[in-house]
Amino acid sequence: MRLYSMPSSGNSYKVRLLLALLGRACEIVDVEYMTEALESARAEGRLPFGKAPVLALDDGRLLPESNAILCFLGEGSAYVPADPVLRAEMLGWMFWEQNQHEGTIAVRAALRFYPHRRALATPERMAELLDRGHANLQIMEDRLSGRDWLVGDAVSLADICLYAYTHTAGARGGFDMARFPAIAAWLDRVAALPGYQGLAA
């Protein structure tokens, strides 16, 4: 397998993290923003939706979208609950991550982190993203208060999925993570998983 991965992106990182946790071998092709490698991958048709990550299977098929890739890689593993209700809850958190969480946590971080996007970081927009992001983090805080994982009694794809942008929300996004002690403890639990790999690894 070959993963077209954007090194700075949480969406790409979540796939690299699951690969590491599963001990799966995969060739990593870096396609960072505004690089020739990214433009080449697009020109060659390796990125069906024009963005990373994309997992290229051994038979040549291409799987885009980070959470779809997580579901493919996690199939049959301990990261996907056997119980259908818990599995649906896991998917619910993963849909929420893309629909709500990423649109505040990741977007605010991107406006601060990527030079070519800083012109879009108006004070009004940054303030709105800060408020909405804190509200989304509070949803996670409430869920994790008194429990170790987002779904059931064990780590699942939901945790891997939401870890990616949450663990850099303070440093990159400027969110006040001191307000969320249950999230902090959960982040530590994810980082302690056997095979864990950090964002820069």
mmCIF file of all heavy atoms in Angstrom, residues 8 26 38-39 47-48 54 57 64 68-69 75 83 91 102 125 129 142 146-147 162 169-170 176 187-188 201:
data_model
loop_
_atom_site.group_PDB
_atom_site.id
_atom_site.type_symbol
_atom_site.label_atom_id
_atom_site.label_comp_id
_atom_site.label_asym_id
_atom_site.label_seq_id
_atom_site.Cartn_x
_atom_site.Cartn_y
_atom_site.Cartn_z
ATOM 1 N N SER A 8 1.683 17.930 7.483
ATOM 2 C CA SER A 8 1.183 18.879 8.480
ATOM 3 C C SER A 8 -0.302 18.701 8.792
ATOM 4 O O SER A 8 -0.827 19.340 9.709
ATOM 5 C CB SER A 8 1.410 20.317 7.989
ATOM 6 O OG SER A 8 0.645 20.563 6.809
ATOM 7 N N CYS A 26 3.417 0.455 5.149
ATOM 8 C CA CYS A 26 2.830 1.285 4.098
ATOM 9 C C CYS A 26 3.867 2.294 3.633
ATOM 10 O O CYS A 26 4.524 2.940 4.457
ATOM 11 C CB CYS A 26 1.584 2.001 4.631
ATOM 12 S SG CYS A 26 0.673 2.954 3.403
ATOM 13 N N LEU A 38 2.718 17.602 -4.408
ATOM 14 C CA LEU A 38 1.257 17.661 -4.369
ATOM 15 C C LEU A 38 0.686 17.883 -5.764
ATOM 16 O O LEU A 38 -0.265 17.204 -6.176
ATOM 17 C CB LEU A 38 0.802 18.777 -3.426
ATOM 18 C CG LEU A 38 -0.710 18.992 -3.315
ATOM 19 C CD1 LEU A 38 -1.414 17.747 -2.816
ATOM 20 C CD2 LEU A 38 -1.002 20.187 -2.397
ATOM 21 N N GLU A 39 1.264 18.809 -6.495
ATOM 22 C CA GLU A 39 0.776 19.091 -7.840
ATOM 23 C C GLU A 39 0.976 17.888 -8.764
ATOM 24 O O GLU A 39 0.122 17.593 -9.602
ATOM 25 C CB GLU A 39 1.478 20.325 -8.406
ATOM 26 C CG GLU A 39 1.140 21.619 -7.668
ATOM 27 C CD GLU A 39 -0.360 21.821 -7.493
ATOM 28 O OE1 GLU A 39 -1.115 21.628 -8.480
ATOM 29 O OE2 GLU A 39 -0.789 22.153 -6.369
ATOM 30 N N LEU A 47 -5.040 11.705 -6.558
ATOM 31 C CA LEU A 47 -5.874 12.294 -5.513
ATOM 32 C C LEU A 47 -7.268 12.534 -6.097
ATOM 33 O O LEU A 47 -7.553 13.600 -6.632
ATOM 34 C CB LEU A 47 -5.264 13.612 -5.021
ATOM 35 C CG LEU A 47 -3.791 13.566 -4.587
ATOM 36 C CD1 LEU A 47 -3.335 14.954 -4.148
ATOM 37 C CD2 LEU A 47 -3.573 12.544 -3.482
ATOM 38 N N PRO A 48 -8.173 11.555 -6.004
ATOM 39 C CA PRO A 48 -9.479 11.654 -6.668
ATOM 40 C C PRO A 48 -10.271 12.907 -6.321
ATOM 41 O O PRO A 48 -10.965 13.448 -7.183
ATOM 42 C CB PRO A 48 -10.203 10.397 -6.177
ATOM 43 C CG PRO A 48 -9.111 9.419 -5.893
ATOM 44 C CD PRO A 48 -7.986 10.247 -5.352
ATOM 45 N N VAL A 54 -4.847 9.957 0.586
ATOM 46 C CA VAL A 54 -5.403 8.928 -0.289
ATOM 47 C C VAL A 54 -4.573 7.668 -0.082
ATOM 48 O O VAL A 54 -3.341 7.726 -0.091
ATOM 49 C CB VAL A 54 -5.360 9.352 -1.774
ATOM 50 C CG1 VAL A 54 -5.719 8.174 -2.681
ATOM 51 C CG2 VAL A 54 -6.299 10.518 -2.028
ATOM 52 N N LEU A 57 -4.160 1.152 -2.886
ATOM 53 C CA LEU A 57 -4.069 -0.268 -2.567
ATOM 54 C C LEU A 57 -3.124 -0.972 -3.522
ATOM 55 O O LEU A 57 -2.775 -0.442 -4.586
ATOM 56 C CB LEU A 57 -5.457 -0.901 -2.618
ATOM 57 C CG LEU A 57 -6.533 -0.241 -1.756
ATOM 58 C CD1 LEU A 57 -7.839 -1.015 -1.848
ATOM 59 C CD2 LEU A 57 -6.068 -0.134 -0.302
ATOM 60 N N PRO A 64 -9.883 7.651 -1.115
ATOM 61 C CA PRO A 64 -9.738 8.996 -0.544
ATOM 62 C C PRO A 64 -10.547 9.129 0.739
ATOM 63 O O PRO A 64 -11.305 8.232 1.110
ATOM 64 C CB PRO A 64 -10.316 9.888 -1.639
ATOM 65 C CG PRO A 64 -11.385 9.041 -2.261
ATOM 66 C CD PRO A 64 -10.913 7.610 -2.166
ATOM 67 N N ALA A 68 -12.850 7.388 5.809
ATOM 68 C CA ALA A 68 -13.115 6.184 5.025
ATOM 69 C C ALA A 68 -11.899 5.256 5.060
ATOM 70 O O ALA A 68 -12.036 4.025 5.169
ATOM 71 C CB ALA A 68 -13.454 6.560 3.583
ATOM 72 N N ILE A 69 -10.714 5.842 4.983
ATOM 73 C CA ILE A 69 -9.483 5.043 5.056
ATOM 74 C C ILE A 69 -9.368 4.380 6.423
ATOM 75 O O ILE A 69 -8.998 3.204 6.530
ATOM 76 C CB ILE A 69 -8.245 5.912 4.768
ATOM 77 C CG1 ILE A 69 -8.317 6.497 3.355
ATOM 78 C CG2 ILE A 69 -6.964 5.092 4.924
ATOM 79 C CD1 ILE A 69 -7.257 7.557 3.073
ATOM 80 N N GLU A 75 -11.031 -2.400 9.680
ATOM 81 C CA GLU A 75 -11.931 -3.541 9.506
ATOM 82 C C GLU A 75 -11.347 -4.803 10.143
ATOM 83 O O GLU A 75 -10.225 -5.199 9.855
ATOM 84 C CB GLU A 75 -12.172 -3.782 8.017
ATOM 85 C CG GLU A 75 -13.187 -4.857 7.696
ATOM 86 C CD GLU A 75 -14.616 -4.395 7.931
ATOM 87 O OE1 GLU A 75 -14.865 -3.175 7.879
ATOM 88 O OE2 GLU A 75 -15.472 -5.269 8.159
ATOM 89 N N ASP A 83 -20.165 -4.825 18.494
ATOM 90 C CA ASP A 83 -21.566 -4.515 18.728
ATOM 91 C C ASP A 83 -22.037 -3.472 17.713
ATOM 92 O O ASP A 83 -21.418 -2.417 17.563
ATOM 93 C CB ASP A 83 -21.748 -3.982 20.142
ATOM 94 C CG ASP A 83 -23.190 -3.608 20.428
ATOM 95 O OD1 ASP A 83 -23.980 -4.509 20.742
ATOM 96 O OD2 ASP A 83 -23.521 -2.410 20.311
ATOM 97 N N LEU A 91 -19.152 5.598 14.403
ATOM 98 C CA LEU A 91 -19.300 6.305 13.131
ATOM 99 C C LEU A 91 -19.914 7.677 13.338
ATOM 100 O O LEU A 91 -19.545 8.646 12.657
ATOM 101 C CB LEU A 91 -20.155 5.480 12.168
ATOM 102 C CG LEU A 91 -19.496 4.200 11.640
ATOM 103 C CD1 LEU A 91 -20.522 3.344 10.900
ATOM 104 C CD2 LEU A 91 -18.317 4.527 10.730
ATOM 105 N N GLU A 102 -13.784 19.495 12.780
ATOM 106 C CA GLU A 102 -12.746 19.934 11.852
ATOM 107 C C GLU A 102 -12.989 21.367 11.369
ATOM 108 O O GLU A 102 -12.059 22.149 11.199
ATOM 109 C CB GLU A 102 -12.650 18.991 10.653
ATOM 110 C CG GLU A 102 -11.478 19.345 9.743
ATOM 111 C CD GLU A 102 -11.498 18.614 8.425
ATOM 112 O OE1 GLU A 102 -12.591 18.246 7.961
ATOM 113 O OE2 GLU A 102 -10.413 18.429 7.851
ATOM 114 N N ARG A 125 -13.532 36.454 12.181
ATOM 115 C CA ARG A 125 -13.602 35.023 11.895
ATOM 116 C C ARG A 125 -12.859 34.213 12.955
ATOM 117 O O ARG A 125 -13.329 33.164 13.392
ATOM 118 C CB ARG A 125 -13.018 34.720 10.515
ATOM 119 C CG ARG A 125 -13.238 33.264 10.117
ATOM 120 C CD ARG A 125 -12.785 32.950 8.719
ATOM 121 N NE ARG A 125 -13.211 31.620 8.330
ATOM 122 C CZ ARG A 125 -12.684 30.947 7.311
ATOM 123 N NH1 ARG A 125 -11.735 31.488 6.566
ATOM 124 N NH2 ARG A 125 -13.121 29.735 7.017
ATOM 125 N N LEU A 129 -14.493 31.326 15.307
ATOM 126 C CA LEU A 129 -13.949 29.963 15.333
ATOM 127 C C LEU A 129 -13.509 29.569 16.735
ATOM 128 O O LEU A 129 -13.648 28.403 17.131
ATOM 129 C CB LEU A 129 -12.775 29.848 14.359
ATOM 130 C CG LEU A 129 -13.140 29.871 12.869
ATOM 131 C CD1 LEU A 129 -11.887 29.995 12.013
ATOM 132 C CD2 LEU A 129 -13.922 28.610 12.492
ATOM 133 N N ASP A 142 -17.550 16.808 27.945
ATOM 134 C CA ASP A 142 -18.706 16.220 28.619
ATOM 135 C C ASP A 142 -18.773 14.720 28.390
ATOM 136 O O ASP A 142 -19.087 13.941 29.301
ATOM 137 C CB ASP A 142 -19.999 16.881 28.126
ATOM 138 C CG ASP A 142 -20.104 18.346 28.533
ATOM 139 O OD1 ASP A 142 -19.358 18.777 29.437
ATOM 140 O OD2 ASP A 142 -20.918 19.064 27.916
ATOM 141 N N GLY A 146 -15.612 11.048 33.226
ATOM 142 C CA GLY A 146 -16.027 9.799 33.856
ATOM 143 C C GLY A 146 -15.891 8.575 32.981
ATOM 144 O O GLY A 146 -16.342 7.486 33.371
ATOM 145 N N ARG A 147 -15.281 8.717 31.797
ATOM 146 C CA ARG A 147 -15.066 7.550 30.948
ATOM 147 C C ARG A 147 -13.726 7.691 30.234
ATOM 148 O O ARG A 147 -13.229 8.795 30.033
ATOM 149 C CB ARG A 147 -16.209 7.392 29.936
ATOM 150 C CG ARG A 147 -16.374 8.553 28.990
ATOM 151 C CD ARG A 147 -17.641 8.418 28.138
ATOM 152 N NE ARG A 147 -17.623 7.194 27.377
ATOM 153 C CZ ARG A 147 -18.719 6.509 27.047
ATOM 154 N NH1 ARG A 147 -19.904 6.935 27.425
ATOM 155 N NH2 ARG A 147 -18.634 5.397 26.330
ATOM 156 N N LEU A 162 -10.589 11.624 16.279
ATOM 157 C CA LEU A 162 -10.697 12.923 16.954
ATOM 158 C C LEU A 162 -9.406 13.354 17.632
ATOM 159 O O LEU A 162 -9.195 14.540 17.888
ATOM 160 C CB LEU A 162 -11.852 12.896 17.952
ATOM 161 C CG LEU A 162 -13.193 13.182 17.261
ATOM 162 C CD1 LEU A 162 -14.355 12.547 17.985
ATOM 163 C CD2 LEU A 162 -13.397 14.682 17.133
ATOM 164 N N ALA A 169 -4.801 21.310 19.219
ATOM 165 C CA ALA A 169 -5.746 22.433 19.257
ATOM 166 C C ALA A 169 -5.215 23.613 20.052
ATOM 167 O O ALA A 169 -5.479 24.768 19.711
ATOM 168 C CB ALA A 169 -7.087 21.983 19.837
ATOM 169 N N GLY A 170 -4.462 23.351 21.097
ATOM 170 C CA GLY A 170 -3.896 24.439 21.883
ATOM 171 C C GLY A 170 -2.732 25.104 21.180
ATOM 172 O O GLY A 170 -2.739 26.325 20.953
ATOM 173 N N ASP A 176 -8.013 27.225 24.479
ATOM 174 C CA ASP A 176 -7.651 27.140 25.901
ATOM 175 C C ASP A 176 -7.924 25.732 26.400
ATOM 176 O O ASP A 176 -8.997 25.429 26.927
ATOM 177 C CB ASP A 176 -8.458 28.161 26.701
ATOM 178 C CG ASP A 176 -8.112 28.140 28.177
ATOM 179 O OD1 ASP A 176 -7.156 27.436 28.563
ATOM 180 O OD2 ASP A 176 -8.819 28.812 28.955
ATOM 181 N N LEU A 187 -6.180 12.456 25.917
ATOM 182 C CA LEU A 187 -5.039 12.611 25.018
ATOM 183 C C LEU A 187 -3.844 11.796 25.510
ATOM 184 O O LEU A 187 -3.143 11.165 24.706
ATOM 185 C CB LEU A 187 -4.652 14.084 24.900
ATOM 186 C CG LEU A 187 -5.643 15.018 24.205
ATOM 187 C CD1 LEU A 187 -5.169 16.471 24.297
ATOM 188 C CD2 LEU A 187 -5.845 14.624 22.745
ATOM 189 N N ASP A 188 -3.630 11.797 26.813
ATOM 190 C CA ASP A 188 -2.531 11.014 27.387
ATOM 191 C C ASP A 188 -2.751 9.514 27.179
ATOM 192 O O ASP A 188 -1.801 8.771 26.918
ATOM 193 C CB ASP A 188 -2.393 11.309 28.880
ATOM 194 C CG ASP A 188 -1.824 12.691 29.168
ATOM 195 O OD1 ASP A 188 -1.235 13.294 28.248
ATOM 196 O OD2 ASP A 188 -1.985 13.164 30.309
ATOM 197 N N ALA A 201 6.423 12.227 13.361
ATOM 198 C CA ALA A 201 7.181 10.970 13.131
ATOM 199 C C ALA A 201 7.054 10.517 11.680
ATOM 200 O O ALA A 201 6.101 10.860 11.004
ATOM 201 C CB ALA A 201 6.668 9.880 14.067
#
